[in-house]
Amino acid sequence: MATVPGRDKYRSFLDDETDNVQWRHGGPPTYDVVNQLFEQGRTKEWEEGSLEEIVQNAIKTWEMELSHKVRLQDFKSINQQKFKLIVNGGEGLNGEEALKMGSYNALLKNSLPKEFQYYRADEESFESSHEAFRSAFPRGFAWEVIAVYSGPPLITFKFRHWGIFEGPFKGHAPTGETVEFYGLATVKVDENLKAEEVEVYYDPAQLFAGLLKGPSISDSASACPFHSTT
């Protein structure tokens, strides 16, 4: 899980040749805005070169590749043949399946009856899922490592994910508050320190408690004394 210096101090492989890598939006992304949110809101600042920093940057790199690279063959953070993502003990997704679904759908997919689902991943596309969270978190959805409990080959760590709810989410008005959740994860790496298996455990209710806290947008509009339907 070694990182390679490049244009972003928290993510590797952003300087890959555009001619050889198929980027989802035509070129590598920039992370200036969410990096600022991360630096302002993080609760830990790890020493450069520490295991905690290496793990944190490696996961940020994997998330970048999953969100912005079109082809699995262009991923450098994982073992493409062996990779599997398991969330909350559910069915594992291989690399191609996770890439097709996108990071949000892969992490939010569950087997609850639909009437109990806060978010229906099977009804969302890669694009619609990312748009929903970009809308809710215009400054991005920051991520940090809180603690690392074991090193390679089976890395175990605690993480925090947060954003400022400043845009609408699924018909709910923004609150301007910080929305966050915590979780635990393990990453099994191969001899080249590429991820073979990622297991993530967290409570989605922590996330949606903040996102569904905002009033219905239609209710908010009707409550406004200056709103007119004519």
Side-chain angles (χ1 to χ4, degrees), residues 211-224:
L211 288 173
L212 303 182
K213 183 178 180 180
S216 166
I217 290 175
S218 59
D219 291 343
S220 299
S222 63
C224 176

Side-chain angles (χ1 to χ4, degrees), residues 29-174:
T30 58
Y31 283 91
D32 295 346
V33 176
V34 73
N35 283 349
Q36 183 178 34
L37 176 67
F38 166 72
E39 291 168 358
Q40 292 173 342
R42 61 186 167 185
T43 62
K44 305 285 186 179
E45 189 167 353
W46 301 112
E47 183 178 349
E48 185 176 354
S50 65
L51 178 60
E52 290 85 357
E53 189 214 33
I54 291 170
V55 172
Q56 182 169 263
N57 291 355
I59 297 298
K60 288 177 184 284
T61 296
W62 168 64
E63 188 282 329
M64 176 276 295
E65 292 193 305
L66 185 59
S67 296
H68 293 280
K69 290 184 175 179
V70 175
R71 304 180 302 183
L72 191 69
Q73 69 189 60
D74 293 330
F75 282 43
K76 296 183 177 179
S77 62
I78 67 171
N79 182 315
Q80 298 168 9
Q81 289 71 41
K82 294 184 178 180
F83 182 79
K84 182 174 288 188
L85 172 64
I86 302 168
V87 179
N88 288 334
E91 182 181 357
L93 299 172
N94 64 32
E96 290 288 358
E97 291 168 333
L99 177 59
K100 181 179 179 179
M101 293 180 69
S103 55
Y104 291 115
N105 286 338
L107 291 170
L108 293 169
K109 178 180 173 63
N110 65 73
S111 58
L112 287 172
K114 286 197 173 183
E115 60 267 28
F116 298 117
Q117 292 184 19
Y118 306 109
Y119 173 95
R120 297 176 179 177
D122 60 347
E123 297 179 5
E124 300 285 346
S125 66
F126 181 107
E127 291 76 15
S128 68
S129 65
H130 278 257
E131 180 55 37
F133 284 92
R134 275 197 300 266
S135 170
F137 302 127
R139 284 190 270 173
F141 203 13
W143 189 92
E144 69 171 334
V145 162
I146 298 296
V148 176
Y149 304 112
S150 64
L154 185 61
I155 303 163
T156 305
F157 60 93
K158 182 178 182 180
F159 66 88
R160 170 178 171 250
H161 218 337
W162 79 97
I164 311 299
F165 187 16
E166 297 174 309
F169 178 79
K170 296 292 184 182
H172 289 268

Side-chain angles (χ1 to χ4, degrees), residues 159-214:
F159 66 88
R160 170 178 171 250
H161 218 337
W162 79 97
I164 311 299
F165 187 16
E166 297 174 309
F169 178 79
K170 296 292 184 182
H172 289 268
T175 62
E177 298 177 355
T178 296
V179 174
E180 64 182 0
F181 68 90
Y182 292 81
L184 294 170
T186 63
V187 180
K188 180 182 177 183
V189 297
D190 64 16
E191 64 276 9
N192 297 312
L193 298 180
K194 294 188 176 184
E196 291 186 341
E197 185 172 287
V198 177
E199 288 197 52
V200 181
Y201 295 90
Y202 76 104
D203 182 1
Q206 281 189 319
L207 169 63
F208 289 108
L211 288 173
L212 303 182
K213 183 178 180 180

Side-chain angles (χ1 to χ4, degrees), residues 10-25:
Y10 304 118
R11 297 164 183 85
S12 299
F13 313 131
L14 279 164
D15 289 322
D16 287 352
E17 301 86 348
T18 303
D19 290 344
N20 297 328
V21 174
Q22 288 190 13
W23 295 98
R24 191 169 295 276
H25 301 291

